[in-house]
Amino acid sequence: MTQQQHQPRPGDGPYTVRTPRVVAARRLQRRRDRDAAGLFLAEGPQAVREAAASAAVHEIFGTTPALARHAELIESAARAGARVSPVTDEALAALAETVRPQGLVAVCAQRSVPLEKALERGPRLVAVLAEIRDPGNAGTVLRTADAAGAGAVVFAGDAVDPYNGKCVRASAGSLFHVDVAREPDPTGAIGTIRGRGLAVYAATGYGETDLDELADTGGLDGPTAWLFGSEAHGLPEELLAAADARVRVPIYGGAESLNLAAAAAVCLYASARAHRAGRNTSE
């Protein structure tokens, strides 16, 4: 790490809330500024570590204690070309969006790819988040999709920005592991996905098809895309109609339903299990 990368000019001390670099980074808390710059903020050592591993980090802001505590991470990011900028506690708090920030915030390059490009990689499992506006839910589903082995997550229609700070935190680094696509037309996205040979299943509590039956009859053996709607309103009728099947997660107890994150986990892992079983059988 060079002296220039590691700290401001001699005598300047740590950056403050008024330092132009900090002011510019704070603007990334607004979606329009994120999209204009093609950048976003990732907060906390876990997110910064995952961002650095994917070579997405442009700059790391950190308090002096945090930079020392995570010296190995900082050195690695700096070797990859990231600028490292010490900041005051006040400046770090202004950059962070949590009540108790962990001392590091990174400016990262947005990683969205066109849906067609994501599908060219041949993912066998895709999650489509249609009109999901809650960033915590969206980030959690993204994290679950990553854990289940999905190759792409599509934010479709008027969905939350995947680079919203709460969504980034809820993804726990998974944002840097999968292809993320943003598609303004959900119906068009379904058509594109189906055109690549994936079955498209709409997850809904009122589905005619039982998830267990679908899995038992081989319906999940092939490449699959799961379509999830908002927790409050579910999927609009036109998207339900565009899917190959409307699938419900069976409820065996007295609960009325599952929340979005839980239902998504059940569906995605059902597909992941079917894919693994098919691969083991072919071997």
Side-chain angles (χ1 to χ4, degrees):
M1 183 186 307
T2 68
Q3 184 77 2
Q4 183 179 7
Q5 286 174 318
H6 185 63
Q7 63 181 17
R9 293 190 302 268
D12 282 354
Y15 289 155
T16 72
V17 291
R18 297 181 179 85
T19 302
R21 301 194 70 83
V22 176
V23 172
R26 288 186 67 186
R27 294 195 185 103
L28 299 176
Q29 294 170 345
R30 297 190 294 262
R31 180 170 186 168
R32 66 176 181 272
D33 291 301
R34 289 195 295 270
D35 286 345
L39 302 170
F40 70 103
L41 298 178
E43 179 181 342
Q46 172 64 17
V48 174
R49 184 175 294 105
E50 298 299 333
S54 66
V57 178
H58 285 209
E59 182 168 10
I60 298 175
F61 295 98
T63 61
T64 300
L67 293 176
R69 187 163 57 248
H70 303 287
E72 185 176 345
L73 164 60
I74 301 304
E75 293 284 351
S76 175
R79 285 195 299 270
R83 179 185 179 115
V84 180
S85 299
V87 292
T88 63
D89 290 343
E90 183 184 17
L92 194 286
L95 289 167
E97 296 182 84
T98 54
V99 177
R100 297 179 180 176
Q102 300 177 60
L104 297 178
V105 174
V107 175
C108 305
Q110 294 191 9
R111 306 181 68 257
S112 300
V113 300
L115 178 57
E116 281 283 6
K117 182 176 180 180
L119 295 174
E120 285 174 1
R121 306 184 202 274
R124 290 181 56 78
L125 183 58
V126 172
V128 182
L129 282 56
E131 314 287 348
I132 295 178
R133 300 181 185 180
D134 182 273
N137 276 340
T140 300
V141 175
L142 195 161
R143 179 181 184 180
T144 302
D146 175 29
V153 177
V154 184
F155 286 70
D158 191 21
V160 66
D161 177 17
Y163 304 108
N164 170 286
K166 186 173 181 180
C167 186
V168 174
R169 292 192 298 278
S171 79
S174 288
L175 177 67
F176 301 101
H177 300 163
V178 300
D179 284 334
V180 173
R182 293 195 278 188
E183 286 292 321
D185 178 10
T187 304
I190 292 172
T192 300
I193 291 168
R194 185 183 288 112
R196 285 285 180 170
L198 284 80
V200 179
Y201 296 129
T204 171
Y206 304 99
E208 301 89 353
T209 303
D210 181 279
L211 177 63
D212 286 348
E213 293 177 3
L214 184 65
D216 292 343
T217 56
L220 298 180
D221 291 355
T224 302
W226 280 100
L227 186 60
F228 303 110
S230 73
E231 190 162 312
H233 305 293
L235 289 163
E237 185 58 38
E238 63 269 21
L239 297 187
L240 290 170
D244 292 303
R246 307 180 187 196
V247 183
R248 70 180 184 278
V249 175
I251 302 294
Y252 301 117
E256 179 185 4
S257 63
L258 294 174
N259 64 24
L260 169 62
V266 172
C267 294
L268 291 165
Y269 268 90
S271 285
R273 185 175 185 276
H275 293 166
R276 289 178 61 83
R279 186 163 60 246
N280 292 338
T281 299
S282 63
E283 293 172 353

